[in-house]
Amino acid sequence: MIPPAAAVGRLVGTGRTRVADLLPAAEATALHALLDHGPVDWQRAIETPGDVEVPVALFEAQPIEEQIRIMSRVHAEARDGFQFIFDRWRIDVGGQASPAAPALLADLHRRFNSPEFLAFARALTGDDRIAYVDAQATRFLPGHFLNRHSDQLDRAGRLYAYVLNLCPRWRVEWGGLLQFLDDEGDVTETLTPGFNTLNLFRVPQPHAVSMVSPFAGAPRLSITGWWRAFPPEPVT
């Protein structure tokens, strides 16, 4: 894989870039079908504080009054602080694909950590420190969002954050936009979800995902994670 020269230049100039058609079209289509129709055991992620996950089926089985109470708290905390709510499934566990990962997701994790893909990542960024790619599947439904943050976590060796969008069609009015912010909180660039498109940016960098609209015509599906200097510790 040879990174497009325009994508390399954009990353140098702005600290972020896009690469279209990252995967073979048939693989991207199959990944979208898997995330859209399953089987994926989605977990609902919420800042409580602390990153907490609850199986979506369990969350939605609660009485509606309890769901309203949780969402009211999420919205109150999001008003002036860091908060998020979205669904995810962790492909990467302790530096390897989860044993429970569907074959397509396990294969993608192996592809991302192959010598060929790591060489592509280093060529795109000019950064020879990249040694590992972690991954999770994410799903933003109407009402889901991710408030402003920078992705900085020094102990994790995060160098670049990536989003592999898997949205065959998306309208900007549907929300779910990846927005980059300056020190005053103004939006400097917005990236709309696409299909089989890699969005990549240098860490740390303030950004957010805007709330998905109630009238969005599809879930916002993607594979996300970080290009890292080292893998996470194995799970024991």
Side-chain angles (χ1 to χ4, degrees), residues 8 31 48 55 110 130 149 170 188:
V8 174
L31 281 168
T48 64
R110 283 191 288 270
I130 298 171
H149 62 294
W170 197 267
T188 58

Side-chain angles (χ1 to χ4, degrees), residues 12-227:
V12 170
T14 67
R16 46 192 178 265
T17 195
R18 302 190 83 174
V19 177
D21 301 322
L22 183 73
L23 302 177
E27 182 177 350
T29 298
L31 281 168
H32 170 263
L34 173 65
L35 299 189
D36 200 23
H37 303 298
V40 176
D41 185 19
W42 291 108
Q43 306 289 303
R44 187 139 297 164
I46 301 174
E47 173 74 9
T48 64
D51 191 335
V52 172
E53 295 179 353
V54 178
V56 169
L58 180 60
F59 183 93
E60 293 180 345
Q62 298 179 96
I64 190 63
E65 295 80 8
E66 178 62 11
Q67 295 185 49
I68 292 172
R69 186 194 68 79
I70 292 172
M71 290 306 301
S72 295
R73 178 180 59 78
V74 167
H75 292 160
E77 293 174 354
R79 188 170 298 117
D80 297 308
F82 178 58
Q83 184 55 272
F84 56 78
I85 181 168
F86 62 92
D87 297 339
R88 70 178 169 210
W89 196 87
R90 296 181 185 272
I91 304 167
D92 178 281
V93 178
Q96 59 186 356
S98 167
L104 277 174
L105 298 182
D107 289 346
L108 182 66
H109 184 267
R110 283 191 288 270
R111 175 197 290 271
F112 280 172
N113 285 283
S114 67
E116 295 78 11
F117 190 87
L118 291 175
F120 163 81
R122 294 166 188 148
L124 176 60
T125 61
D127 193 335
D128 290 336
R129 297 176 297 166
I130 298 171
Y132 185 75
V133 179
D134 61 19
Q136 62 180 358
T138 65
R139 179 179 70 174
F140 283 68
L141 300 174
H144 288 183
F145 65 91
L146 175 57
N147 267 8
R148 176 171 49 184
H149 62 294
S150 71
D151 276 358
Q152 185 165 18
L153 186 62
D154 293 337
R155 69 178 185 275
R158 295 173 178 176
L159 302 173
Y160 302 85
Y162 75 90
V163 181
L164 173 58
N165 293 133
L166 293 168
C167 301
R169 65 184 188 95
W170 197 267
R171 294 174 60 93
V172 68
E173 299 95 324
W174 294 357
L177 309 177
L178 177 58
Q179 298 180 314
F180 296 93
L181 313 171
D182 62 19
D183 292 340
E184 285 71 46
D186 292 326
V187 176
T188 58
E189 186 174 11
T190 297
L191 300 180
T192 303
F195 182 69
N196 198 15
T197 300
L198 176 74
N199 294 331
L200 181 77
F201 56 95
R202 191 178 298 118
V203 173
Q205 194 164 163
H207 62 285
V209 177
S210 65
M211 181 178 285
V212 175
S213 166
F215 56 81
R220 180 190 187 272
L221 301 171
S222 62
I223 305 294
T224 69
W226 294 271
W227 294 359

